[in-house]
């Protein structure tokens, strides 16, 4: 089970289904079609009972949601998967709130409940913001601009620009045709994988600590193309990781890569990210 | 009703300055920034003051001078909207989902589609962002430096103009939302409260759009 | 200058009537006839009088209320019409072909179109020479004493200015061009880069321009 509320997926309908008013205490109107996903339904349940969303009590809310879903099931109303996933998640949350597990630091029920309460408050706030925005005087509906604007007449004066370099290189291009030209093929800068590997084995092998890839690149013999060095060092690192000789670690996408020798017990290959 | 306002009372210089300013503003349908006004009225040395003066003069009139979208524009007074039946544009009725999405983009910008979905708790329908882009109120800003390089959305000057906002920081209730921490990410919250901004400067974690990010077919 | 005008001085009813009238006239896309105004403002019982009143109020302002052929409309005051024009300088760059042609003219002047084509190895479009004449960097010098008496081209003082040259002889010679890497390889026998000159003295084989060689329609 994830520690976040389940990712909610329900493509909202463009036709704006009417929100089901939740006025009856016994929730006779069990109709999830009107809700834009479980968060919307939860918000409606929360609002039904409490005006002050700052003090949402998640436990009773979770119970109401579960009761709502159960009733929908009893009435054999087909529920979208999201609603069921949310029900399962709330059941999990409920158990965490009622019986906190001291040994499991990963999923504190209070924190999860506060997270959910925050999401509900934020959704409510954005809905109110949308209403406030659309209650503003709007151009073309309430306020009107000059109907017959007078467009300034613009006199455009052309000014040309050129540099001496452009002039001379243009002249060079023209006259070059008359000159015999020696053509040299440029040598593509290559830094071989074998070279990179040799250096890496020496440096990583002699170190017990995590080493940033950057440090290895800096330690490579000087070379005209830094890109070639990076590519070959990275390639050699992947190869050595595959062989179980080193471990590669990265904490987040685009974060620096770290390498460490696996030493003698070269069996463990730990590569994530 | 309005107190009698004595117009153009000052010296001839002041009269002329106000006449010129009023003429330039009157002629334009869209808002003019102070920079644009300064370019049109190079002799004017106290533009901000003159604009306030003109605003006061027109305060109780059928036309008002309003500060909107980082600029100034003459607009009909709000209470006379009922007379403008002939000019009223057919209101483009946005769905509830589109209105909410617009609000989220305005208050949370720059914001990616995934972030909008996180706030709303549902996937953003295929047409919603298209429709908002089509209104001209929403634009593609850049790309977030994240895997997949998702596009970031923000609002435009046309959005400010349409909703009679002088600047993005004038969004209704912005301070309350900030104070309540509702514009921060999901807790545990970040260290600072972001303020929505619609200028073109990219965030530290935003890249410019690619050359092929056409307006027609944004890779959302 | 204008006398101070007391605006909207009358009773609240009069103020409201004027506010409504000015708002409707302002928002209208075209002039409004008195009939059209009467339809828009059904409570107004003395429209003609009210229009004259509004016209007086705006008489000394930056915008005036004027009666045009098809009705009433706000217009910028006549003496401020100059504010409705703007000067703009558009900066352009020369095309590659134009830059090459200009370079040949600079080095080989006085030079005819046929001679330019000989150096470039391709035909020179008439448009290219027109643009170069428009820049003010190239001028007609004279006519070569040859069949057809072709026009010769040269550069102007404005050319030296634009390219930051003190004199045309500051253009680098063959060795300088080679040194700067702008020409590579071994020049064949007879290859030379001319030492340019742009003075007005005609060459031995140049005639002055004919009296009818106007700048507007030079016979290139």
């Amino acid at each position: 089970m994830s520690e976040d509320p389940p990712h909610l997926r329900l493509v909202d309908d463009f036709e704006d289904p009417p929100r089901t008013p939740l006025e009856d205490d016994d929730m006779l109107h069990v109709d999830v079609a009107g809700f834009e996903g479980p968060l919307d339904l939860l918000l409606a349940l929360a609002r039904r009972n409490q005006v002050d969303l700052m003090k949402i009590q998640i436990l009773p809310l979770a119970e109401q949601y579960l009761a709502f879903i159960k009733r929908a099931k009893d009435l054999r109303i087909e529920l979208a998967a999201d609603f069921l996933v949310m029900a399962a998640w709330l059941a999990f949350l409920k158990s965490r709130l009622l019986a906190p597990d001291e040994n499991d630091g990963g999923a504190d029920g209070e924190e999860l409940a506060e997270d959910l309460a925050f999401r509900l408050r934020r959704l409510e706030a954005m809905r109110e913001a949308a209403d406030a925005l659309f209650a503003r005087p709007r151009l073309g509906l309430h306020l009107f601009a000059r109907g017959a604007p007078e467009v300034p007449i613009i006199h455009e004066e052309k000014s040309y620009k050129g540099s001496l370099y452009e002039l001379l290189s243009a002249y060079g291009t023209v006259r070059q045709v008359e000159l015999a030209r020696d053509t040299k093929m440029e040598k593509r800068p290559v830094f071989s994988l074998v070279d990179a590997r040799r250096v890496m084995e020496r440096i990583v092998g002699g170190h017990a600590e995590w080493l940033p890839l950057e440090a290895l690149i800096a330690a490579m013999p000087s070379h005209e193309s830094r890109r070639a060095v990076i590519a070959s060092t990275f390639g050699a690192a992947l190869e050595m990781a595959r062989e179980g000789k080193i471990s590669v670690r990265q904490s987040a996408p685009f974060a620096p890569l770290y390498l460490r020798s696996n030493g003698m017990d070269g069996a463990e290959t730990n590569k994530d990210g | 009703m309005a107190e009698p306002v004595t117009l153009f009372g000052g010296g001839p210089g002041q009269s002329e300055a106000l006449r010129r300013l009023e003429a330039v503003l009157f002629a334009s349908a869209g808002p003019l920034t102070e920079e644009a006004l300064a370019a049109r009225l190079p002799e004017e040395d106290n533009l901000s003051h003159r604009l306030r003066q003109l605003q006061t003069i027109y305060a109780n009139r059928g036309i008002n001078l309003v500060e909107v979208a980082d600029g100034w524009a003459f607009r009909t007074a709000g209470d006379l909207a009922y007379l403008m039946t002939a000019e009223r544009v057919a209101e483009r009725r946005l769905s509830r989902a589109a209105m909410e999405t617009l609000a989220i983009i305005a208050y949370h910008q720059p914001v990616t589609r995934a972030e909008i979905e996180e706030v709303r708790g549902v996937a953003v329908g295929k047409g919603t962002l298209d429709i908002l882009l089509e209104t001209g109120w929403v634009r593609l800003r850049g790309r977030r430096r994240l895997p997949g390089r998702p596009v970031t959305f923000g609002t435009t000057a046309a959005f400010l103009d349409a909703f009679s906002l002088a600047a993005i920081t004038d969004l209704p209730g912005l301070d309350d939302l900030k104070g309540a921490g509702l514009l921060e990410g999901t807790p545990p919250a970040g260290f600072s409260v972001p303020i929505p901004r619609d200028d073109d400067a990219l965030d530290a974690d935003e890249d410019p759009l690619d050359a092929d990010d056409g307006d027609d077919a944004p890779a959302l």
Side-chain angles (χ1 to χ4, degrees), chain A residues 170-227:
Chain A
Y171 189 67
T173 308
V174 171
R175 298 302 306 274
Q176 184 66 53
V177 181
E178 301 169 42
L179 269 65
R181 191 201 284 263
D182 304 329
T183 308
K184 271 182 272 170
M185 289 295 283
E186 209 174 291
K187 205 175 142 209
R188 286 182 63 188
V190 173
F191 182 72
S192 83
L193 218 58
V194 179
D195 290 346
R197 181 159 180 156
R198 196 175 317 122
V199 178
M200 283 198 33
E201 277 170 348
R202 208 175 63 233
I203 299 175
V204 180
H207 252 277
E209 296 304 313
W210 288 103
L211 279 175
L213 187 70
E214 281 298 310
L216 285 165
I217 291 165
M220 292 289 159
S222 63
H223 189 269
E224 56 189 308
S225 167
R226 186 174 148 78
R227 293 166 70 94

Side-chain angles (χ1 to χ4, degrees), chain A residues 8-10 12 14 16 36 115 118-119 122 125 127 131 133-134 136-140 143-146 149-150, chain B residues 26-27 29 75-76 84 89 91 95-97 100 117-118 120-123 125 128 131 162-164 181 186-187:
Chain A
L8 312 155
R9 282 260 154 201
L10 180 79
D12 43 359
F14 235 72
D16 266 351
E36 285 193 62
D115 185 0
F118 171 81
R119 285 166 190 269
R122 183 172 62 181
R127 288 191 172 160
D131 290 338
L133 201 53
F134 280 85
R136 290 189 60 79
R138 305 240 309 271
L139 184 66
L143 304 183
F144 296 84
R146 173 99 185 254
E150 294 170 51
Chain B
F26 224 88
R75 295 286 152 81
T76 57
M84 305 300 156
V89 292
E91 185 184 6
S95 70
R96 190 75 216 167
E100 266 175 42
E117 292 180 342
E118 211 227 27
R120 294 200 63 228
V122 283
T128 306
I131 282 178
F163 289 87
S164 314
T186 312

Side-chain angles (χ1 to χ4, degrees), chain B residues 28-178:
Chain B
S28 172
L32 291 172
T33 62
E34 293 195 21
E35 293 77 55
L37 286 167
R40 294 279 297 277
L41 301 164
E43 337 54 357
E44 181 58 74
D45 51 4
N46 200 350
L47 194 60
S48 297
H49 168 71
R50 208 69 86 193
L51 281 163
R52 301 276 166 207
Q53 241 183 321
L54 204 59
Q55 190 174 38
T56 309
I57 288 167
Y58 276 94
N60 296 310
R61 305 276 298 275
I63 317 144
N64 303 146
L65 181 58
V66 297
E67 207 175 346
V68 70
D70 296 323
W72 295 81
F74 274 115
R75 295 286 152 81
T76 57
D79 64 319
L80 300 178
Y82 70 95
L83 290 173
M84 305 300 156
T85 44
E87 282 78 25
R88 185 160 306 154
V89 292
E91 185 184 6
R92 162 145 224 170
R93 285 228 157 260
L94 288 180
S95 70
R96 190 75 216 167
M99 284 166 65
E100 266 175 42
T101 303
L102 177 65
I104 293 166
I105 292 172
Y107 286 79
H108 289 262
Q109 63 186 309
V111 66
T112 66
R113 183 178 179 146
E115 289 157 1
I116 297 167
E117 292 180 342
E118 211 227 27
V119 175
R120 294 200 63 228
V122 283
V124 172
K126 165 105 185 54
T128 306
L129 283 166
D130 282 356
I131 282 178
L132 289 177
L133 287 165
E134 199 189 314
T135 58
W137 295 341
V138 165
R139 67 191 175 105
L140 307 180
R141 280 180 51 94
R143 290 182 175 278
R144 181 71 39 88
R145 223 168 281 155
L146 280 177
R149 304 185 66 242
V151 166
T152 51
F153 295 91
T155 54
T156 61
F159 165 79
L160 297 176
D161 198 9
F163 289 87
S164 314
L165 293 163
I168 196 68
T169 46
D170 288 349
L171 282 171
L174 184 61
D175 289 340
D176 292 342
L177 289 170
K178 260 195 295 174

